[in-house]
Amino acid sequence: MSANRPLTPNLLPAALIIGIAGVLFQTTPKSEDFWWTDGASFALNGALVHDYLVSGFHRTPMAFAGEWFRHYPAVTISLYPPIFPLAEAFAFTLFGVSHAVAQATVAAFTGLAVFGGYRLARTAMGRAEAGAGVLLLFAAPTILLWSRQVMMELPSLAFLLLAAACFLGFQASRRTRDLVLSVLLLLAAVYTKQTAIFAVPAFAVALIATAGWQGLRDRRVWLAAAAGVIGLLPLAGFTLIAAREALDIALGRGIAAASGGALQGGGHLAQTVAYGLALPEVVGWPLLVAAACYTALVPVRGWRTPAEQRLAVLMFAWFACGFAFVSFTGHFDARYALPLAVPCAMLCALLIARLPGRTIRPFAALTAGAAWFAVSVWAHPIDRISGYDAVAAYILDHSKQDDAIWFQASESKSVSFSLRSRSPEPKVVLLRAEKFLVDYRIARDWGISDRGWTTRQLQDLIDRNDISMAVLEPGFWDDQPSMARMRDYILSDKFRLAAEIPITSDLPSHRTAISIFVRNRPAAARPDR
């Protein structure tokens, strides 16, 4: 029996990583049935990086991307940092470009987040309580949702959790290695998604609150801070130069000012109230109540150990800085508050560690955590929208090399990804109607204006680009005159109906079918296409 004891500490975190990441991966869409349409864009970001890396670097990145975008016009790589697309590109190189591989990349980061959460909790509590805390964290509604989408929230959170564990390790042992790792992992979190920057003041507040101002006398802290600032400079330059729209969204200016996300001009107070009201949706009532109980208990019972104090103080600072960060952004989205689930789960675990019954408590904690995680997964299924992969398959099967396809329908991002996943080499040029006929940025709700195309101009557009096939969704933005004129032109005798493909959605949707039309008299391709 004693020979097996050294293996015991590794069994629980391994079981948590395999169990949680495996369950979440198995219950997520993986068959090009994206519910969150931006997930297809983020998968395409990785495909673009992969295709350029395997192209042999014969062209500059911008030249390659410009040509690539003609075939798959749905990337957002210019708005976000590089770590997640690079990770996807690596996975695509090993296993091929597919929705399942893109989601598996997220699952790998989810496993890393499970490990990071466990290491963070273990700085102040036993294995069972730490395991229960991780299970409760991944039972939070927002964690359950965004860990099952091809998005950057969980990859960024994974680095944040590991950074926090290393930061507490530095506070406990004063090892330089832990401080360096904390800074590097925090940079990795920000280079995965910029919103992770809220953790910087949280770490600073926690350091001062536990070590006092004398903690700032440590020369290593200032060197680490300077290294962190230097490390952020490239990302700051990238955001200011290439990703101004992301900055506008964060500040609630420009196009984001008309998005409604700033709560109709209510300002930061309205944002604060909105995020406060959204906490049950973000975290879940059980974690909120347990965290509140622990917070009320500490002034009465005090800290049990210095390690508990360090973890709790960091979690309080994490919650305060994270909540202030999202409250002062200019666009409301409950997804932005996802990191707030971490302190609530950790404080809940600390409360569990204080419960009586040292013998039965570990078993009860793990059992209750696993049961709540299972119930939460069952109660929060992921919605799917299916059928757009069949649209892409039809396009590829019924088109010639370099045919131009007019796409006037929803989910153009999903179709773009399906085209890429089915054809390693570009075959068709996809023309998205909303990029030609109207003027809008990011989302239609943020403002839209018609570009005033006449029927004659639309006919010239079709001739000039030698459009051979048109994909049409009934009612798609046809309140815009140019969209309505193009719809009428497609429905005229210039095109004939070739196929109708059903669209199914788990949520109520106006999308029921996609009609595919073939041009009756295709024009000869022109050099200026």
Side-chain angles (χ1 to χ4, degrees):
M1 179 68 70
S2 60
N4 293 327
R5 284 180 182 172
L7 298 177
T8 304
N10 296 323
L11 294 181
L12 181 56
L16 289 170
I17 292 169
I18 295 172
I20 294 175
V23 167
L24 295 178
F25 179 71
Q26 287 300 319
T27 57
T28 192
K30 299 182 288 290
S31 301
E32 298 172 23
D33 45 356
F34 296 94
W35 161 74
W36 188 254
T37 184
D38 282 348
S41 289
F42 291 126
L44 275 172
N45 291 345
L48 169 59
V49 175
H50 164 269
D51 288 353
Y52 180 66
L53 293 178
V54 302
S55 70
F57 304 100
H58 298 303
R59 284 178 286 178
T60 66
M62 288 302 295
F64 181 88
E67 174 61 24
W68 195 91
F69 189 77
R70 295 174 65 243
H71 304 282
Y72 317 111
V75 292
T76 56
I77 199 166
S78 62
L79 294 175
Y80 298 101
I83 285 183
F84 184 59
L86 286 170
E88 283 185 308
F90 177 74
F92 289 155
T93 300
L94 294 179
F95 305 108
V97 177
S98 71
H99 186 182
V101 173
Q103 191 62 55
T105 306
V106 178
F109 279 108
T110 298
L112 190 63
V114 172
F115 178 72
Y118 180 79
R119 293 307 308 165
L120 177 63
R122 282 287 288 131
T123 61
M125 63 190 85
R127 298 189 190 101
E129 293 85 353
V134 172
L135 287 163
L136 292 172
L137 170 62
F138 280 85
T142 49
I143 302 289
L144 279 176
L145 174 58
W146 298 110
S147 62
R148 293 184 283 178
Q149 306 292 334
V150 184
M151 298 288 284
M152 298 172 293
E153 273 70 17
L154 258 294
S156 180
L157 185 66
F159 289 124
L160 273 183
L161 290 168
L162 290 168
C166 290
F167 175 75
L168 290 179
F170 169 73
Q171 285 190 295
S173 66
R174 311 305 291 182
R175 287 195 301 259
T176 303
R177 180 190 66 184
D178 290 330
L179 180 60
V180 172
L181 284 174
S182 179
V183 172
L184 291 176
L185 288 165
L186 186 53
L187 284 172
V190 178
Y191 271 84
T192 304
K193 189 166 186 181
Q194 297 99 319
T195 50
I197 196 69
F198 82 89
V200 173
F203 283 25
V205 169
L207 179 64
I208 296 171
T210 53
W213 293 105
Q214 63 181 4
L216 298 180
R217 297 177 183 174
D218 191 331
R219 182 168 172 264
R220 295 173 299 172
V221 171
W222 290 103
L223 289 174
V229 170
I230 294 172
L232 287 173
L233 289 179
L235 181 60
F238 162 80
T239 302
L240 289 172
I241 296 171
R244 295 295 296 272
E245 288 179 347
L247 192 60
D248 286 343
I249 292 172
L251 298 177
R253 65 189 187 190
I255 56 172
S259 68
L263 304 178
Q264 289 74 42
H268 300 312
L269 178 60
Q271 291 281 99
T272 302
V273 173
Y275 278 110
L277 295 175
L279 281 177
E281 172 191 347
V282 172
V283 178
W285 279 113
L287 288 186
L288 280 177
V289 172
C293 289
Y294 176 82
T295 303
L297 181 65
V298 166
V300 178
R301 306 293 290 271
W303 311 107
R304 293 189 310 158
T305 64
E308 178 187 2
Q309 180 184 10
R310 287 190 293 267
L311 175 59
V313 168
L314 176 59
M315 292 299 98
F316 289 139
W318 179 307
F319 188 91
C321 292
F323 191 86
F325 179 81
V326 295
S327 297
F328 278 84
T329 57
H331 178 68
F332 174 81
D333 191 326
R335 170 167 53 101
Y336 299 157
L338 177 147
L340 298 181
V342 173
C344 293
M346 292 298 111
L347 296 180
C348 180
L350 287 173
L351 179 66
I352 292 172
R354 285 174 173 253
L355 295 176
R358 177 174 296 184
T359 303
I360 192 66
R361 185 180 64 218
F363 175 78
L366 277 175
T367 302
W372 184 247
F373 173 73
V375 169
S376 298
V377 171
W378 172 79
H380 296 87
I382 298 299
D383 297 310
R384 292 165 167 82
I385 299 178
S386 303
Y388 290 98
D389 55 333
V391 173
Y394 185 93
I395 291 172
L396 292 173
D397 290 342
H398 296 83
S399 60
K400 303 185 299 296
Q401 184 65 39
D402 295 327
D403 271 358
I405 312 299
W406 182 259
F407 192 88
Q408 190 162 325
S410 305
E411 309 305 331
S412 52
K413 300 173 183 178
S414 295
V415 169
S416 295
F417 181 79
S418 292
L419 289 172
R420 173 57 190 86
S421 68
R422 281 167 164 72
S423 178
E425 294 296 327
K427 183 177 182 181
V428 300
V429 175
L430 192 66
L431 307 178
R432 293 172 58 183
E434 69 270 28
K435 299 298 183 182
F436 284 83
L437 306 186
V438 296
D439 190 14
Y440 81 105
R441 303 294 291 276
I442 305 296
R444 174 188 168 136
D445 293 344
W446 295 19
I448 186 171
S449 61
D450 189 79
R451 291 187 173 178
W453 287 73
T454 66
T455 302
R456 177 65 181 177
Q457 289 172 325
L458 292 174
Q459 182 178 353
D460 289 343
L461 173 69
I462 292 171
D463 290 341
R464 184 171 63 253
N465 290 282
D466 191 17
I467 292 172
S468 60
M469 187 182 297
V471 179
L472 185 66
E473 175 188 315
F476 178 73
W477 292 15
D478 57 7
D479 59 321
Q480 302 297 307
S482 296
M483 288 283 194
R485 290 190 189 100
M486 179 60 98
R487 175 206 60 198
D488 293 342
Y489 189 82
I490 293 171
L491 295 176
S492 71
D493 59 0
K494 302 297 190 299
F495 287 80
R496 69 179 185 276
L497 180 64
E500 285 194 350
I501 297 176
I503 302 297
T504 60
S505 174
D506 290 340
L507 292 174
S509 174
H510 63 278
R511 310 179 187 104
T512 57
I514 291 291
S515 300
I516 300 180
F517 296 83
V518 175
R519 195 173 177 196
N520 285 323
R521 295 183 297 277
R526 299 187 179 184
D528 60 345
R529 167 175 164 180

